[in-house]
Amino acid sequence: MNSSTHDSLKGDQFNTMKRELKRERTTRLLLDATKELIREKGCAQTTLSDIMERTGLSKGAIFHYVKSKDELFSWVLKERLEDTNRRFLEATAKQAKSFSGPMQEIIDRLPELEEPNDVANQVFTYLLGQSDQPEVREVIRRFYEQALEVSKQCIVAGQLAGVIPPSVDAAKTADLFVVISLGLRVRSAVSSDRFAFDSSAFAALMADMLQPKQQ
């Protein structure tokens, strides 16, 4: 490899890293601004113009990353999934053969499912109300699939680490947990009453289904 080719490759790598860094910073800016606006105004009242003003980005710059405001809203849901998944996997890696540590990372986030003002809950119920629109329905479908995959990955990772029994059906159990979590999100939007099945009952159910049984 001659020096000019080597320099060209280094230049390409530098430009790729620069683009990735810009993408990460812009994504963070958009996500933080969107969450702030939802907390301040709610989903329905938050407009693309608001996001443009808050971030200083043009409409074209925003649409370089997303196709619509609703897709940007879905980033809030995706971020929550990825954060929970990261916490669980990190706890699983640090606490080999321990069920309580990784499980606690999941349990600590469950009460958020019952908070009507939680940003992720606001986004989910808002998008659900717009699901007659094909593009929004597709956003919701992708989120459900992502939630299902993350839940399944956590269970499989726990099985590989020896903290969840291999007899647990990862696919069915993940589907059940996602259905329950989405149900709690929707219920938080329509009622603040106390119910027999709440986040603590959900945590107990998860532990009962996933925790290795004593012989």
Side-chain angles (χ1 to χ4, degrees):
M1 181 184 299
N2 58 45
S3 59
S4 61
T5 302
H6 182 266
D7 290 343
S8 177
L9 288 174
K10 287 182 65 176
D12 290 343
Q13 291 174 346
F14 175 77
N15 289 332
T16 298
M17 291 175 61
K18 188 175 180 180
R19 285 194 297 270
E20 284 300 314
L21 181 59
K22 180 181 179 182
R23 182 177 184 83
E24 289 177 9
R25 288 176 174 173
T26 305
T27 297
R28 186 76 263 162
L29 176 64
L30 282 168
L31 189 53
D32 288 344
T34 299
K35 290 191 293 185
E36 289 173 1
L37 286 164
I38 291 173
R39 291 189 187 100
E40 295 170 12
K41 308 175 66 172
C43 291
Q45 299 303 316
T46 295
T47 66
L48 188 62
S49 295
D50 292 328
I51 298 170
M52 291 166 58
E53 181 178 351
R54 184 65 58 95
T55 61
L57 296 171
S58 68
K59 184 177 180 179
I62 294 174
F63 280 2
H64 179 71
Y65 295 92
V66 293
K67 296 179 181 178
S68 66
K69 181 188 76 172
D70 293 329
E71 184 178 353
L72 181 53
F73 281 0
S74 74
W75 284 10
V76 176
L77 300 173
K78 184 179 179 181
E79 180 192 40
R80 183 68 58 83
L81 286 176
E82 292 175 344
D83 182 60
T84 301
N85 185 44
R86 177 184 57 78
R87 290 170 179 267
F88 179 86
L89 295 178
E90 287 177 354
T92 299
K94 290 178 182 178
Q95 304 178 45
K97 304 298 181 181
S98 171
F99 177 82
S100 60
M103 188 63 198
Q104 195 61 48
E105 294 295 337
I106 301 293
I107 291 174
D108 287 345
R109 305 301 296 268
L110 293 182
E112 296 172 352
L113 298 173
E114 299 182 286
E115 293 293 334
N117 294 323
D118 179 80
V119 174
N121 292 345
Q122 291 189 60
V123 167
F124 181 71
T125 53
Y126 168 79
L127 292 177
L128 204 59
Q130 312 295 315
S131 61
D132 58 322
Q133 302 175 35
E135 63 273 17
V136 178
R137 188 163 59 249
E138 176 62 17
V139 166
I140 297 173
R141 185 192 65 78
R142 288 202 305 268
F143 167 67
Y144 185 88
E145 290 182 350
Q146 291 167 349
L148 189 59
E149 184 61 26
V150 166
S151 183
K152 183 179 177 181
Q153 285 177 357
C154 285
I155 295 172
V156 171
Q159 290 174 323
L160 293 174
V163 301
I164 295 176
S167 58
V168 172
D169 187 318
K172 288 184 179 180
T173 305
D175 207 358
L176 174 63
F177 290 166
V178 172
V179 168
I180 293 174
S181 66
L182 297 185
L184 291 176
R185 287 190 190 280
V186 172
R187 192 175 70 186
S188 73
V190 299
S191 177
S192 59
D193 295 341
R194 295 186 62 84
F195 294 89
F197 191 89
D198 56 12
S199 59
S200 61
F202 187 18
L205 175 65
M206 294 178 74
D208 183 63
M209 295 182 68
L210 299 178
Q211 190 167 13
K213 301 297 186 291
Q214 299 296 325
Q215 299 297 327

